[in-house]
Amino acid sequence: LSKQSDELFIREVVEGLAAHGNVLMSELTAGDNVAASALNFMAGSGLFAFKIGWNNEFAHTSPGVLHEVELLHASQDRLRGFTMFDSCATEASYIAPIWPERIPVVTGLVAASPLARWYRRVLDAGSNAKRLVLSWW
């Protein structure tokens, strides 16, 4: 809710996907209060995290992490139709340690012209030089 344009974007995405049954919204509650909530998108048998939010009143208990742990527990029962859960988080994310497996994602470059192939070789040389320098430290 910090920017109206962001809110409009999310509403459009959620409404569009929800029309096809591809949205899962969940909450972790503490009594009558929402401690954390999450917006997940579904594709086939995969569940993909998009946004986790939490109530600052409960920040000392790490409600976002607790929410994700409970979501994984729910996958054994109510969410068993999903075969893949993706946190969409980087390895350095606070949420990464609770996910039991990671699927490596690779970034690549396809060089279709002589200039692009030359540029790729320059990038490769730079990467190799960086690795060499870092290995000395």
Side-chain angles (χ1 to χ4, degrees):
L1 297 176
S2 62
K3 294 183 193 171
Q4 187 177 10
S5 60
D6 291 348
E7 180 184 352
L8 293 174
F9 169 75
I10 297 302
R11 286 187 185 278
E12 286 181 21
V13 169
V14 169
E15 288 171 6
L17 291 173
H20 301 285
N22 292 329
V23 175
L24 175 70
M25 296 177 79
S26 54
E27 293 179 338
L28 176 70
T29 58
D32 293 333
N33 298 310
V34 175
S37 61
L39 176 59
N40 297 277
F41 299 139
M42 298 179 276
S45 62
L47 186 66
F48 301 86
F50 181 74
K51 185 67 178 159
I52 301 170
W54 58 88
N55 183 333
N56 280 335
E57 180 182 340
F58 299 100
H60 65 283
T61 63
S62 303
V65 173
L66 292 174
H67 176 278
E68 295 302 289
V69 168
E70 288 303 314
L71 183 66
L72 289 174
H73 285 295
S75 70
Q76 298 170 19
D77 181 29
R78 292 176 297 215
L79 302 176
R80 78 173 55 168
F82 294 103
T83 59
M84 183 184 74
F85 289 78
D86 190 342
S87 68
C88 298
T90 64
E91 281 188 52
S93 169
Y94 72 94
I95 208 77
I98 70 163
W99 293 87
E101 298 175 6
R102 298 195 63 80
I103 299 172
V105 177
V106 179
T107 301
L109 174 67
V110 176
S113 71
L115 179 59
R117 285 190 288 278
W118 174 84
Y119 186 66
R120 189 199 70 219
R121 284 193 297 273
V122 169
L123 289 176
D124 287 345
S127 292
N128 290 336
K130 180 181 176 182
R131 271 194 298 278
L132 181 64
V133 168
L134 292 176
S135 71
W136 290 341
W137 299 104

